[in-house]
Structures are given as C-alpha cells and as structure tokens.
Amino acid sequence: MILTKPKIRASARHAYLALCAGLLCSTAAWAQSPPQGETVQIKRAAHLRDGPSESSRSLMPLALQTSVVRLGEKQGAWIKVSASDNIQGWVHMFDVTAPASASTSTGNVGTSALRGITGFFNRGSGQAPGNNVATSTLGIRGLGAENLNNAQPNVAAVAQLEALRVNAAQARQFGAAASLETRPVDPLPLPEVKP
Amino acid sequence: MKQHFITSLLAVLICLPVATAQAQDAGRVLNLFQSLMGAGQVAAPAAPAGGLAGALLGNALAPAAVMQGRSGGDLFQLLSQSLDQIDEPREIQIGQQLSAMLLGTKPLLLDMTLQRYVNQLGRWISLQSARPDLPWTFAVLDDPGFNAFAAPGGYIFVTKGLMDRVADESELAAILAHEIIHVTSKHHLISLNKAARAGLLTQAISSQFKNDLGGLVSGQLMALGRNMYTKGLDQSDELEADRSGVALAARAGFDPYGLVGVLQQLRTATPDDALFSLSLSTHPPAQLRLNQLELAMGNRLDRYSGQVPLTIAQRLQRLASSGSGSNLQTAVPGKN
C-alpha cells in the first residue's frame, strides 16, 4: 500500500487553451507516498539506531532476515522502521531488502496495463510473453504503445517546450537560492559482479 | 513573365495583412495563455514573447521555426550511415523530432510553476554533466503514470504522476540525472543508429507520416523512435545511467541515495495499482538495479549523504517566498 488512490480534482478545461496547441489542463493530486507500511527484511546483520547515521546509538541488534516495517520517514541513506516490540529506529537502506516474493513476482500483466513506451522504469513489454526471466518492471498507464503508434507528432508543443528552457545563469541562481553546492565526485566503478 | 510577376506581387500583398492578423491573434491567445497561467514573468526570460507567439501560431508556421528546415528524411539517412555524421545540431534536431512524437501522446502539464522548477533543477544538474552547454530542455507531461524519458540533444520528460510521488527533491534530482546521462552518453542515438543500420524498418511502416507537417517530420525517424521507446535501451545503458546518474546528482549537491529511494519505492509498487502495471520484460528490475548500485556505491558516497531532504512542495514554497532567482512568485490564479 504505497500509493493512494488519486483524488481527481475537477478538470479545468478551457476552450482557448485547446487552441494553444492542444494543451489541456487537468490536475490531479496525490498524497506523498514513500513506501510506508512495507515489510522489509534485514539482509545483513545490522543495528537499529536511534538516528539516521552509523554513529547513532544502537537500540537493538538486527539479525539476518529480521522483518521490520517501514514508517515512511527517510533521510539520506537511512529509513525509519519499526522492529519487534514496536521499537522504532533507523536502518541503512542497503541493509534491507524486499521479502523474497516481492522481488521475483512475475504474475500476469495487469489487465489495464498498456504495453508501453519505455523509460526510466520499464522496458515495456515488447518481448514475447512467457520468457522466463524473473523480472518485475513497472509500466505506466496512458503513455503506452497504442498512444505512441497513433500519435501525430506535435511540433508546436516542441516550441512551447523550448520556451520553458532556463539558461545556465538562471540555473546557477537557482542552485544558489537552493543552497546547492557542487562537489568533486569521482565516477563510480563498474561492479565486478555483472547482472 | 510580367503577368507572373504581378500575380506574385498580388499574392504577397494579399497574404501580408492575413499574416499580420494571424500574428495578432496569436499574441492575444498568448496573453490569455499567460494570464491563465500567471506565466507572464515566467516565460519572458527564457524566450522572447514573439518566439512563443510564433510557436503558438500552430503547425502552419511553427515547424519551420522549430525544425530549422532540415528534413527529417535527411536525418534518417544520416542515422543509417554512421554516428559520426550526427553532429550536435543534428542530434538536437533528432531530439526535437522524437520530442514531437512523445508530445503527440501526452500534452505538457499546464502548470508553469512546476515546469519552471523542473527546468531550473534539471538545468542545474546538467551544468555538472559532461555536456553542460547543450540546450537542455525539461518538461512535465500531463500523465498520471510514473515515468521519465529522454531524447537526444537534451530533451527530458517526467510525468505529473512522478512529480506527485517522489518523496523528496533528491529523488527527483536522481531521476533527472539518470536521464541526463542517457543524453550525455548518447544512448538513444546509438540505439537509433543500430536499428537504422540493421534496416529493421519496412517501407510500409516508414511511410506512415509521409507528408505530415510538410515532410519535416520523418516517417522513418518516427518509426525508429517508436520502436526504441517501446523496446527500451540496453540493460547495460540503464545500469550505466543509474551508476553515473548517482555520481552526477551527488556532484550537483544532492543526496546520493535519492535513486536508491526511488528504486525501493518502485520495488514495492503493487501490480494491482492502476497507475503501475506489472509486465514481463528483460529490463533490469528494481531489485537488480538496487543490487548493482549497492555494489558500485558501497559507502563511497556516504560522506555526501544525510542532509534533511526537502519535499517538492517545500522547495516550491521556499522559492516562492524567497523570490530570488526563481520568478516563482507568480502563483497560478485559482490554484492552491
């Protein structure tokens, strides 16, 4: 239960806006939804800590395969969880994993799933069904292959898009206003264990 | 000869007032657009009003301005040869065409505050990338799903559903950084090039968009693009974008664990949720991506972690109240 049902606010549509290259306005609001209430398993011996850092006091040791429940709060690499006896504390994200069933579920494709455009999270499902690679990926609804195949290129919207650009100076102003500081970070090494 | 000249002259004289009237109408529509959006101040620095008005004139005039006259067919020809043929301006044109295709599926979200913010955030991150001088362009699509895409030349899209569901700014930054790496590493171009050279397209598919928009959008390029966005990039490209994206986000001042948070959220999404759907594929699943990230990150970046994260709502609020460097004080009328 990490996602709440959308509360669709009344769509505000305006005839003039339709003229503007078909931009339609419809707004929807969702609650913020970190994976709250999810049960996760400790995957290496760790400690439940009273703060989000390695140096925080240990509240209790957490043995391998201990189940803890996520409380939704997150800070950096640390998530707040509830352990046995309802003791609450923090564990490192890399010390937990999903229960075995959650990461290997293959299941049938949701009935309303549009086979889709791929992006950050999904590769679509262009591959033949029934291959036995145990993966679960997420597709999205609405921006699917059907849309893609039927869509006429909207060139006017590209111009609108480009009008939204900010320049480097404006971006630096934003960085300063947001107190973002650049740091020298080396590239991460390619893991030796290949997928 | 003479007769022809006179006819031409007449045609010009007749067309002139029409064109002016069109421009004025577009200007009015633009003003309306901006007043509804509260975007007067927002749009101005990024583009002269005339440019946007031109854009809003619609398909008749915009394509020439946007696509700069190069025919999509030429681009396809170049793509089927060698990647060396694709210089930066051509890469950007390919990105424009694929963006036009993506925007044909979903409209831009009509929320200038959010669009502006995503551009500020994305552009800031892009400045720390290997290609800081591309004309980076970010946009929120009006779609309730949870996804992000990129196109060559620096075009990056996130969905409204994603904006609503990221836990904090470090997660959004991580997603934008991941997409930025796809662009800087030219993952899409390489994929298009491979497909074009393999001659995977039939004439039947490629003729679909022929003559649309005055032939400026290439049917073949669209077919290649549809194929790519449906099949996805190579798994190794995705894992590289994860790994390099984490470093990029950290370089730009964000918590390096943003992506880990996103992937953990993704891992727990349930298949019966209407907005997420579960499907079989060979794309790296969230758990695999998490494992690979853990191997790459170890505790290397932990010293950059631990700031208290700001939610998107908190960031928007701060930008609005500070007013500096953001132009975000122009709240959208009628919205809360």
Side-chain angles (χ1 to χ4, degrees), chain B residues 114-136:
Chain B
L114 213 54
Q115 299 284 10
R116 175 87 176 155
Y117 164 63
V118 168
N119 272 280
Q120 289 173 312
L121 180 66
R123 191 72 184 89
W124 164 256
I125 299 167
S126 75
L127 286 177
Q128 325 308 326
S129 79
R131 304 178 71 186
D133 298 324
L134 275 180
W136 293 94

Side-chain angles (χ1 to χ4, degrees), chain A residues 49 51-57 78 92 95, chain B residues 302:
Chain A
R49 301 197 177 270
S53 77
E54 207 66 60
S55 56
S56 298
R57 191 168 60 92
W78 296 77
H92 196 283
D95 289 341
Chain B
D302 283 15

Side-chain angles (χ1 to χ4, degrees), chain A residues 1-153:
Chain A
M1 280 310 295
I2 65 148
L3 297 167
T4 57
K5 289 284 173 196
K7 290 169 284 185
I8 307 288
R9 272 192 272 159
S11 268
R13 284 169 195 270
H14 202 290
Y16 290 104
L17 295 176
L19 290 174
C20 300
L23 265 181
L24 293 177
C25 174
S26 77
T27 48
W30 282 269
Q32 292 287 329
S33 50
Q36 195 174 344
E38 182 204 3
T39 300
V40 289
Q41 274 186 353
I42 300 298
K43 70 176 186 186
R44 68 173 65 86
H47 285 270
L48 185 71
R49 301 197 177 270
D50 74 347
S53 77
E54 207 66 60
S55 56
S56 298
R57 191 168 60 92
S58 169
L59 299 172
M60 64 187 286
L62 295 168
L64 196 68
Q65 294 188 333
T66 308
S67 290
V68 295
V69 178
R70 289 195 66 164
L71 296 172
E73 227 177 305
K74 186 189 85 158
Q75 190 173 327
W78 296 77
I79 52 173
K80 200 166 189 186
V81 299
S82 172
S84 58
D85 298 331
N86 213 16
I87 300 176
Q88 299 186 357
W90 297 80
V91 292
H92 196 283
M93 280 189 197
F94 282 156
D95 289 341
V96 303
T97 187
S101 60
S103 59
T104 55
S105 63
T106 51
N108 227 331
V109 174
T111 49
S112 63
L114 293 181
R115 315 211 160 233
I117 193 171
T118 60
F120 186 72
F121 296 115
N122 65 307
R123 197 194 166 88
S125 46
Q127 279 72 27
N131 75 34
N132 56 7
V133 182
T135 60
S136 61
T137 60
L138 292 153
I140 60 165
R141 186 164 133 153
L143 202 62
E146 290 89 340
N147 300 53
L148 207 52
N149 287 331
N150 299 329
Q152 289 298 309

